[in-house]
Amino acid sequence: MNNPGGSVNSNGKIAVVTGASSGIGAAAARALARDGFTVVLGARRIDRIEALADEIGGRAMYLDVTDAASVDRFTATLDEVHVLVNNAGGAKGLAPVSEANLEDWRWMWETNVVGTLRVTKALLPKLEASGDGLIITITSTAALEVYDGGAGYTSAKHAQGVLHRTLRLELIGKPIRLTEICPGMVETEFSLVRFDGDADRADAVYEGLQPMVADDIAELISFTASRPSHVNLDQIVVRPRDQATSRRNIKTG
Ligand code: NAP
């Protein structure tokens, strides 16, 4: 624990955020800490999560959701968990199916789908034992729609959504709520990762429209986690005003 005292107005609850080193995960960690949670941050870029943990009075630990041993080490350190935010994920490439890069597909499935499964499965007993657990999974509008060049990502996000929604059915009667948040465009490092560090290509994605920012999603995470325990927000779909579907926005008409 970087700050054993936790946040000043601690609510005595532990929130785990995967992929907390940038974008939505980092914003969610800040928001949950403000709400009084002691936040456990996981990601591969340990320097970033250590700095953020120091800032918010949380705890940082290396986590690679694609590596079973890393997930085991990460989850074994947690005695108690009240909230799990399955956020680690992303996209690689925008190739049509005819030119699909199998390594990119594997990365997307391993990270978004199998990674979410690994962490969720490992933490389920602790979430249940808390007596009031909450799992928030950040899927995407790509979990609901398809778009040209997006099959690797949309298929992974559909599968991640199906995993989450199935668990919602399977956990009925247990004290665990499940919320799926499906965002449209959010300006984070997402496009930089998708286009392998090509900043010009990443910036072009957001030209001519106003995307959401990570804090817009973090506010929804904070709102979800502050509902009374008998209220389950099942699915939240949120897009920029300028984007009606994944295939069509004001830029592309
Ligand atoms: P981002 O800034 O690129 O953040 C992605 C996070 O995932 C990083 O913290 C990264 O940390 C982590 N991550 C990636 N691979 C990982 C692994 N193997 N193990 C652990 N952590 C890993 O992008 P973002 O927009 O905030 O994305 C967060 C989530 O929102 C993703 O699931 C994404 O699919 C989803 N989403 C994004 C958008 C959007 O438009 N931005 C829209 C809908 C849904 P490290 O690299 O340090 O490990």
Side-chain angles (χ1 to χ4, degrees):
M1 177 97 41
N2 301 52
N3 175 355
S7 69
V8 179
N9 301 310
S10 172
N11 64 11
K13 294 185 173 177
I14 309 289
V16 174
V17 180
T18 69
S21 60
S22 72
I24 295 168
R30 283 198 179 90
L32 290 168
R34 270 195 304 273
D35 293 342
F37 287 92
T38 298
V39 183
V40 181
L41 302 94
R44 295 164 304 173
R45 285 171 294 178
I46 188 77
D47 50 329
R48 286 198 186 195
I49 52 173
E50 276 175 355
L52 182 50
D54 281 343
E55 177 194 318
I56 65 174
R59 174 180 151 193
M61 199 180 161
Y62 179 88
L63 172 67
D64 180 350
V65 298
T66 68
D67 176 355
S70 170
V71 172
D72 286 349
R73 274 193 300 275
F74 180 86
T75 54
T77 65
L78 301 165
D79 295 331
E80 259 193 306
V81 181
H82 300 84
V83 175
L84 166 62
V85 183
N86 282 316
N87 168 75
K92 286 273 186 195
L94 199 56
V97 172
S98 58
E99 290 160 33
N101 176 321
L102 294 208
E103 280 314 307
D104 285 351
W105 275 63
R106 269 191 204 101
W107 186 95
M108 289 186 270
W109 277 76
E110 270 293 332
T111 309
N112 294 287
V113 189
V114 187
T116 296
L117 173 61
R118 277 199 188 96
V119 177
T120 305
K121 188 178 171 204
L123 292 182
L124 269 180
K126 286 163 188 169
L127 286 156
E128 185 176 352
S130 77
D132 186 15
L134 169 64
I135 299 171
I136 298 175
T137 304
I138 312 300
T139 63
S140 171
T141 48
L144 310 171
E145 301 171 348
V146 299
Y147 57 88
D148 312 45
Y153 184 59
T154 56
S155 63
K157 285 298 188 185
H158 273 70
Q160 185 190 29
V162 168
L163 156 65
H164 173 97
R165 288 167 228 152
T166 305
L167 198 54
R168 166 86 173 109
L169 299 174
E170 291 172 355
L171 292 180
I172 281 291
K174 301 207 166 170
I176 304 181
R177 288 177 289 157
L178 284 105
T179 300
E180 177 183 0
I181 301 184
C182 312
M185 276 186 179
V186 188
E187 191 165 7
T188 61
E189 293 177 21
F190 176 86
S191 293
L192 205 58
V193 172
R194 169 169 244 174
F195 298 124
D196 246 344
D198 182 338
D200 289 342
R201 211 172 159 199
D203 288 347
V205 171
Y206 310 110
E207 262 167 28
L209 60 87
Q210 185 175 355
M212 295 184 287
V213 294
D215 280 338
D216 294 324
I217 311 306
E219 278 180 19
L220 294 175
I221 292 169
S222 165
F223 178 75
T224 300
S226 59
R227 293 312 86 207
S229 63
H230 67 286
V231 176
N232 196 100
L233 284 164
D234 282 351
Q235 190 180 57
I236 301 171
V237 181
V238 55
R239 296 184 176 91
R241 187 185 60 195
D242 290 346
Q243 185 193 29
T245 77
S246 302
R247 298 200 54 189
R248 189 166 172 275
N249 54 54
I250 60 165
K251 187 179 65 151
T252 58

